[in-house]
Structures are given as structure tokens and as C-alpha cells.
Amino acid sequence: MKAKIKKLKENAIVPTKGSKEAAGYDLYACCDEPVFVMPYKTEKISTGLAIQPPKGYFGAIFARSGLATKSGLRPANCVGVCDEDYTGEYVVVLHNDSSSIRTVNPGDRIAQLVFLPYMDVDFCEVNKLENTERGSSGFGSMGR
């Protein structure tokens, strides 16, 4: 399966896998100088790349577990959704959950990209949904 990729900036780094069986591809910061992410603030970090997922897939941008646990940096929207037909730059919006200033340097691994399939559905408006054991019980209602 192929994903098309276009470097928008000369110093952009093509995503890499940390291991052969890794699900995600590391995305790298493409900036000319360090970016300081202030405590509890958010910064947009360029990847310098435009990516076109395979047909029927979208790019999901997830946190890198090491970056989140060691530095408190994670995607501000928790999971970024890059639609199949989006051809602009992939930008990672990092939020600093820590009480310290964090630095993102050029070439740092900032997130991971996973390609996931999606389904196109047609909505069918009804007057009643089918009965289920759970019904409309919401948040925390299962007692676990």
C-alpha cells in the first residue's frame, strides 16, 4: 500500500517507524529554530509535509507516549484526523500539560501518524432505535 508524500520544506523529514512492527510513523518537527511551549499553552508545530493516505484511509495523529509521559507534550486535540482528501501541510498542535517550559527542536519526533480505514455511511432517520441491554445509560453507568 502506498501513501503519497510531498516535502513542502527542504528540511522536512519523511516519517519513520521505530520498529518493523510499529503501527505508527514518527512525525518530525520542521522548524528553523526551537519552539518554546509554555506551561499549559499550545503551539502549532510544522512537519513540512503534505501526505495523501491510501484510498479509503485517513491519517490519525496520536501522541508519542514517551513525549507525553516524559515531557507532558501531546496533540491538543488528542487525536488529529487528516482526511483522505486533505492535501495541505500536516501540522501538529502540541499542548504542554506540564508546569515547565518545554522546547521542541528542529528534527524532534513530535507525534505519530497511523493510517486507518474509514467507512462512508448514509444516515437513515428513524422514530425509534432498537432496544439494547445498555439503552441510553451514559458516562460511567456500567459501574466499572
Side-chain angles (χ1 to χ4, degrees):
M1 200 171 292
K2 303 278 186 192
K4 296 178 181 176
I5 190 163
K6 179 180 179 183
K7 283 189 173 185
L8 303 174
K9 299 176 182 176
E10 191 175 311
N11 59 335
I13 301 171
V14 173
T16 60
K17 291 173 79 166
S19 69
K20 183 180 176 192
E21 303 301 326
Y25 295 83
D26 288 331
L27 292 174
Y28 295 84
C30 183
C31 44
D32 296 325
E33 55 192 33
V35 175
F36 299 100
V37 187
M38 303 307 285
Y40 312 112
K41 299 295 181 185
T42 303
E43 293 289 339
K44 292 180 181 177
I45 310 295
S46 170
T47 66
L49 301 169
I51 301 170
Q52 197 166 37
K55 190 80 176 144
Y57 287 75
F58 71 97
I61 297 177
F62 293 98
R64 290 192 66 253
S65 58
L67 190 64
T69 58
K70 294 175 186 172
S71 298
L73 293 176
R74 60 158 174 89
N77 53 346
C78 295
V79 178
V81 175
C82 301
D83 294 314
E84 177 186 339
D85 59 351
Y86 174 67
T87 57
E89 182 180 10
Y90 277 35
V91 174
V92 178
V93 184
L94 284 182
H95 182 77
N96 182 355
D97 286 315
S98 80
S99 59
S100 301
I101 298 171
R102 298 300 186 202
T103 304
V104 177
N105 292 298
D108 281 356
R109 294 177 297 167
I110 54 172
Q112 58 182 323
L113 172 65
V114 177
F115 293 108
L116 298 171
Y118 68 90
M119 298 178 83
D120 198 17
V121 300
D122 293 318
F123 289 96
C124 176
E125 191 172 347
V126 297
N127 291 323
K128 185 178 179 188
L129 299 176
E130 295 174 23
N131 289 329
T132 66
E133 183 180 332
R134 181 176 182 174
S136 61
S137 297
F139 301 103
S141 64
M142 301 307 290
R144 295 182 198 123

